[in-house]
Amino acid sequence: MPDTAPKPRLTRNTKIVLVLIALIVWTALAGNWSSKGCNLVPQSYFLVISNGTPDSNEGCEDEPSGPAYTDDYRS
């Protein structure tokens, strides 16, 4: 009798590769915020989730408590 059990859609290795690709893309996008004056970890990663990529007028300005997000950024 043939084996009729359903095969998993994604293998374990495929899932690992997809997660690594997602992390690489997320880091590349966070780098865009980092070049606008934001801390890479965790601020830039959070800004990728909340705002996507920065526009020309978005970035972080130095504050006494550290860089803070602004939508009126002047590079």
Side-chain angles (χ1 to χ4, degrees):
M1 181 168 204
D3 185 16
T4 57
K7 296 191 178 202
R9 291 183 177 206
L10 298 175
T11 64
R12 181 174 182 228
N13 288 339
T14 304
K15 290 177 186 177
I16 291 171
V17 169
L18 290 175
V19 167
L20 289 175
I21 290 171
L23 288 173
I24 290 169
V25 169
W26 192 16
T27 300
L29 294 174
N32 291 333
W33 283 104
S34 180
S35 66
K36 295 276 201 154
C38 304
N39 293 330
L40 182 61
V41 177
Q43 191 174 29
S44 292
Y45 285 95
F46 174 74
L47 287 169
V48 168
I49 293 171
S50 63
N51 295 27
T53 57
D55 293 334
S56 61
N57 62 333
E58 293 180 315
C60 294
E61 294 179 341
D62 286 332
E63 298 288 331
S65 61
Y69 170 78
T70 181
D71 59 358
D72 189 26
Y73 178 74
R74 307 283 184 229
S75 54

